[in-house]
Amino acid sequence: MAAQFGRRVVKGAATTAVAAVAVAALSASQAPGVTDTSKGRQSAGSTPSPDADADKSATGNSPYYTDLPPLNSPTPSPSTGTGTPTGTGEAEAGIPATVLDAYKKAEASLGDSKPGCNLPWELLAAIGKVESGQARGGRVNANGTTITPILGPVLNGNGFANITDTDGGAYDGDTAHDRAVGPMQFIPSTWAWSGRDGNGDGKKDPNNIYDAALAAGHYLCRYNWDLSDQADLRRAILSYNNSTDYLNTVLSWLEYYRKGTHEVPDGTGTLPSGRSDDNAGSSPSPTPTPPSTRPGSPTPGGGSTSPTPKPPTTTPPPSTPPTSPSPTPTDTVDHLEDAGTAKLTATAGDAFAEKIATRTETRAGTAVAKVRVRFTIVGDTDAAFTGGESVATVVTNSAGVATAPALQAGEKTGDFTVRATVVGRAVSGLDYAATVTARQADALARTSDTALTCVAGSEFADQVEIKATYKGAAADGVAATATLIKAADDATANDKGPYFKDADGKTVRTLAGLKTDANGLLKLPKLYADDTAGTFLLRINTTGGATLTVELTVTAAAATASPSPSAS
């Protein structure tokens, strides 16, 4: 949905034609499950049932701006017909400077973190246009935060989805129901897991265009979608707001912006006017109809009065009391139960072998199907579900079981929690403990059998290189320590013999913080020998208990011959 400003108009045939041409230029294919008429409109209502998976979309399926671009970009194009004004090409092609910068920075960031997504900044611009008119024409401050909050309508079921409050009013100021927030119109429950810090200020603010644009990019790139593929592009847009008209409108602006845009000063961008709820008849604050003159009241300007009506002579039959609506499956859930989840442990960088399974049950213990269960990763961890997200929503199957996507361990080791909750139902959550252990090796071996020798006071010609393996496979990223020890049964660091040098050239005989490379290899720095001859030991230890002791030999320097005394 977009901010509520500007006049309301009725969409006409001209705007439909513009959308049809733009969408046809982009692709003739259609997303799975979408049925369009020949005019590019959804055949049975452009907007789905307001509550249909609304809390799974970015916007809660809130209303949006329906203005369409000129047919040619950026050449000025006069409006035709009686539809939503399209504006001139020069004006419509202008994007406020800070807003444009945010879109391009988000594209660059996703290009690094998710290169396979192929996110174009023009897609973010198209969504930003449709959702908020590019942050109300670029009314943002120097940091990218909107001058005033941009809020969608109250999602209380009055013509829109019915989403009860999920954020305590923290983002939208409403403690009863949620509202879409900010220039990219995220509902609070979606922002809770998809929010990003796009401007590096340490905050995730849906009212900041840098944060919101980066979050929108990640949202569109989840599920490993490739946005250069038309089917994936359509799926991603429909996941943002599940409406075919919304899809067509965004695609129209995407195609338009791809033809060329230019930067305009903040606060000077064009403002849209038409909204998708213009004809919904569900304004949050309808204008009441003035009451008619009451019977028996004086007519304006005097005159006769209406006679007092007589009471009925017969008692009308009692009206049939309204029937209560049948409870939804979600309404019947009393508690959550674990459905056989095994211990959750994985090595850093690896996938967890087990998946979390949760069952929804009634008070009597009966399983409940078709209930949305939200799994949220909680704690100081970089573990994520498949696709890189920290939240996943899954619908229970016929056995009442929701199985979370596979967990992928990050590089942070330690414990964290995955919390299962019921979407739209206030029942106690169910916590699952998970652990990420450090990468480890169970065997070490030198990559060369060359003897390591040198003369006292010089340096070793060869560096020590070892390969770490775990269960026969190369063990990458394994932490290691190398120490020149006193004896095989005394792991204390030696105070004489071979040594390494630190960055300042000082003598050190213990190296910590070492890690094997992607192939499990570790090459130690150059070794030096002091003036002590003998056999010495270098011991290398890794996480996981692998140990290797390497023998070093230092020979005495050759004696220098003394000159013979001269004859007297």
Side-chain angles (χ1 to χ4, degrees):
M1 150 25 219
Q4 301 182 57
F5 61 86
R7 64 187 178 86
R8 295 177 176 238
V9 296
V10 178
K11 292 183 289 181
T15 58
T16 302
V18 173
V21 171
V23 173
L26 194 67
S27 173
S29 64
Q30 183 58 271
V34 175
T35 303
D36 280 9
T37 66
S38 59
K39 294 184 179 180
R41 293 303 208 198
Q42 196 173 25
S43 60
S46 63
T47 305
S49 173
D51 289 319
D53 292 332
D55 61 341
K56 294 173 68 176
S57 71
T59 69
N61 295 336
S62 294
Y64 54 90
Y65 285 113
T66 57
D67 295 44
L68 294 169
L71 288 176
N72 298 312
S73 171
T75 306
S77 175
S79 299
T80 60
T82 59
T84 301
T86 58
T88 63
E90 288 289 349
E92 292 295 340
I95 299 178
T98 299
V99 178
L100 181 59
D101 184 58
Y103 295 151
K104 290 185 175 181
K105 279 185 167 57
E107 178 194 54
S109 177
L110 269 297
D112 290 337
S113 61
K114 296 183 178 181
C117 177
N118 295 303
L119 171 75
W121 67 262
E122 292 90 346
L123 176 59
L124 297 176
I127 291 175
K129 179 70 174 182
V130 172
E131 293 294 348
S132 69
Q134 310 298 18
R136 288 177 174 158
R139 295 187 66 243
V140 296
N141 63 22
N143 294 322
T145 302
T146 56
I147 303 300
T148 55
I150 300 177
L151 297 174
V154 178
L155 299 177
N156 57 6
N158 182 20
F160 310 114
N162 187 0
I163 302 178
T164 55
D165 176 62
T166 62
D167 67 331
Y171 294 120
D172 55 16
D174 193 323
T175 58
H177 294 85
D178 275 349
R179 304 174 70 174
V181 181
M184 304 303 278
Q185 289 290 277
F186 281 94
I187 54 174
S189 58
T190 302
W191 185 261
W193 61 266
S194 65
R196 296 292 193 278
D197 176 16
N199 62 352
D201 64 357
K203 297 184 295 183
K204 299 176 182 178
D205 182 2
N207 289 299
N208 183 278
I209 185 60
Y210 287 100
D211 295 357
L214 183 60
H218 278 277
Y219 186 92
L220 295 165
C221 287
R222 71 200 194 286
Y223 302 135
N224 293 320
W225 280 330
D226 177 1
L227 301 184
S228 66
D229 177 81
Q230 293 303 315
D232 279 358
L233 174 64
R234 289 168 176 263
R235 292 185 189 101
I237 296 172
L238 285 170
S239 78
Y240 209 91
N241 191 314
N242 189 21
S243 159
T244 307
D245 280 351
Y246 179 88
L247 168 68
N248 290 339
T249 305
V250 170
L251 289 176
S252 298
W253 283 106
L254 170 60
E255 179 68 10
Y256 179 77
Y257 286 139
R258 278 175 169 168
K259 295 177 181 177
T261 61
H262 61 271
E263 178 183 300
V264 298
D266 289 345
T268 66
T270 58
L271 301 180
S273 55
R275 292 193 348 149
S276 61
D277 59 339
D278 281 344
N279 298 319
S282 57
S283 173
S285 302
T287 303
T289 303
S292 61
T293 305
R294 291 182 296 125
S297 300
T299 58
S304 63
T305 61
S306 300
T308 303
K310 295 180 181 180
T313 56
T314 59
T315 303
S319 60
T320 303
T323 59
S324 301
S326 301
T328 66
T330 299
D331 294 334
T332 67
V333 177
D334 176 75
H335 58 273
L336 295 174
E337 290 287 343
D338 175 49
T341 305
K343 186 176 181 180
L344 298 169
T345 302
T347 302
D350 291 346
F352 282 75
E354 298 293 332
K355 291 183 178 180
I356 297 171
T358 303
R359 185 170 56 253
T360 54
E361 295 184 354
T362 65
R363 179 173 296 182
T366 303
V368 185
K370 298 182 180 180
V371 175
R372 291 194 296 275
V373 176
R374 179 172 292 140
F375 297 94
T376 305
I377 297 174
V378 181
D380 184 18
T381 181
D382 55 356
F385 292 115
T386 302
E389 303 298 348
S390 60
V391 176
T393 302
V394 180
V395 178
T396 57
N397 59 20
S398 59
V401 176
T403 301
L407 276 169
Q408 178 71 35
E411 293 303 321
K412 287 186 177 180
T413 60
D415 299 330
F416 65 94
T417 299
V418 178
R419 182 164 298 149
T421 56
V422 177
V423 176
R425 179 77 168 163
V427 299
S428 298
L430 186 61
D431 287 353
Y432 293 86
T435 302
V436 177
T437 59
R439 297 170 185 260
Q440 54 187 305
D442 56 14
L444 297 174
R446 283 189 62 200
T447 59
S448 170
D449 56 4
T450 302
L452 297 167
T453 63
C454 81
V455 177
S458 63
E459 63 185 44
F460 286 79
D462 298 305
Q463 292 176 243
V464 177
E465 183 180 62
I466 58 99
K467 181 168 186 175
T469 55
Y470 183 70
K471 296 182 178 180
D476 63 306
V478 177
T481 301
T483 305
L484 291 149
I485 59 176
K486 289 186 174 181
D489 57 356
D490 185 356
T492 306
N494 213 333
D495 54 4
K496 59 184 177 180
Y499 61 90
F500 299 105
K501 290 183 180 180
D502 64 13
D504 297 324
K506 296 180 180 178
T507 298
V508 292
R509 290 189 168 89
T510 297
L511 296 177
L514 305 172
K515 275 192 175 182
T516 59
D517 66 13
N519 298 314
L521 299 175
L522 172 63
K523 180 177 282 189
L524 299 181
K526 186 178 289 292
L527 276 163
Y528 302 86
D530 61 13
D531 57 2
T532 308
T535 300
F536 302 90
L537 299 178
L538 169 66
R539 180 162 293 169
I540 304 166
N541 299 305
T542 69
T543 304
T547 299
L548 176 67
T549 302
V550 179
E551 188 174 280
L552 307 173
T553 302
V554 179
T555 60
T560 303
S562 301
S564 301
S566 58
S568 55

